[in-house]
Amino acid sequence: MAQPEYLRIAADLRRRISSGEWAPGEAIPTLRVLTEAYGVSEITIRNALKLLVGEGLVETRARAGTIVRERPPVHRMPADRYRATPGARSTPYTRDQGIGWQEYRLDKRFERVEATPELAALFEGEAGEQLLARHFVFYDNDQPTQMSTSYVRWTDVADTPVADPIHEPWPGGTRAQMASLGFQVTRVTESFTAAMPTELEAATLRIGAGIPVLRYTRRHIADTGRVVEVAHPIVRRGDTTVVDFVIDLKD
């Protein structure tokens, strides 16, 4: 079966953008020019451009036409990002992004919730247990690059600075918070999946609906084996995130 014309044209436009024929911030040719160049109807060109908009490659602007979108830099998430000294004016997020404390901004909203069966399993606890849910949106300067919901046990944080959003962002991140409560975190687990974004994720991270996201669940585990924090999920745009693993094989 022959490929639809709009898919063929979208593929060619994608190739031309990737090759640098049109730089980020530059307008691609008008509908009229593209219609003539490809010998197709205007609706076919519109369908091709709609596909590229959904992928986050281009955007339409009033009076400016269709513009090649600026592509955020790729950020690597090294396996040792949680090893930093607790209390330092940095967090695993700032190290992932390669930014200083002054460039870091955090939107936050806290609420008390009950553990669902899924959260109870992650905490290795009981459904219905009282948790503090901390909803975060992380900004690199003015660009949102990560969102998450982090849960801690209410009995661990009630009437402590950890339960007050005024103290966020907390230097040293979650590991430092747990240390302030007397928990020595010795293990962090992460489980990754990839999917297309929800409407909320696409809107919050300001990405096209066609850009996949990386979702992962993180658990901070104390030296006693007790799970003291669960972030479920953490969400980042998938096309600019690289997760690095180091696996030492020793006899």
Side-chain angles (χ1 to χ4, degrees), residues 4 6 22 33 54 66 82 136 139 156 158 160 166 170 186 190 197 201 238 248:
Y6 81 94
W22 302 302
V33 171
T66 302
Y82 294 105
F136 297 124
Y139 291 81
D156 290 342
T160 73
I166 197 172
W170 189 296
T186 56
E190 293 179 326
E201 290 167 346
D248 292 321

Side-chain angles (χ1 to χ4, degrees), residues 226-241:
R226 187 171 184 269
V227 180
V228 293
E229 184 262 0
V230 172
H232 180 67
I234 301 171
V235 184
R236 295 180 61 95
R237 58 183 296 162
D239 62 335
T240 58
T241 301

Side-chain angles (χ1 to χ4, degrees), residues 12 26 37 39 46 87 95 145 149-150 153-154 166 173 191 206 225:
D12 190 55
E26 184 179 347
R46 288 187 183 277
R95 290 188 291 278
T145 62
T149 300
S150 167
R153 288 185 162 96
W154 182 252
I166 197 172
S191 301
R206 302 177 193 166

Side-chain angles (χ1 to χ4, degrees), residues 50-58 69 195-199 201-203 206-213:
K50 183 178 180 180
L51 194 62
L52 299 185
V53 168
E55 294 173 2
L57 287 177
V58 299
R69 292 192 65 174
M196 303 311 294
T198 64
E199 288 187 13
E201 290 167 346
R206 302 177 193 166
I207 60 177
I211 296 177
V213 293

Side-chain angles (χ1 to χ4, degrees), residues 48-129:
L49 294 177
K50 183 178 180 180
L51 194 62
L52 299 185
V53 168
E55 294 173 2
L57 287 177
V58 299
E59 60 184 341
T60 56
R61 299 179 186 172
R63 300 189 180 89
T66 302
I67 308 296
V68 177
R69 292 192 65 174
E70 297 283 347
R71 183 176 177 83
V74 171
H75 292 286
R76 310 191 75 90
M77 297 169 57
D80 64 352
R81 63 190 183 280
Y82 294 105
R83 292 185 181 276
T85 303
R89 291 187 67 80
S90 65
T91 68
Y93 173 79
T94 62
R95 290 188 291 278
D96 290 344
Q97 295 295 121
I99 60 176
W101 197 250
Q102 298 304 316
E103 301 167 285
Y104 176 30
R105 181 164 69 83
L106 187 67
D107 288 346
K108 61 261 188 174
R109 179 175 61 86
F110 286 18
E111 63 176 334
R112 192 169 169 178
V113 300
E114 292 186 354
T116 62
E118 182 180 23
L119 286 171
L122 290 168
F123 271 103
E124 300 175 5
E126 298 294 331
E129 180 180 4

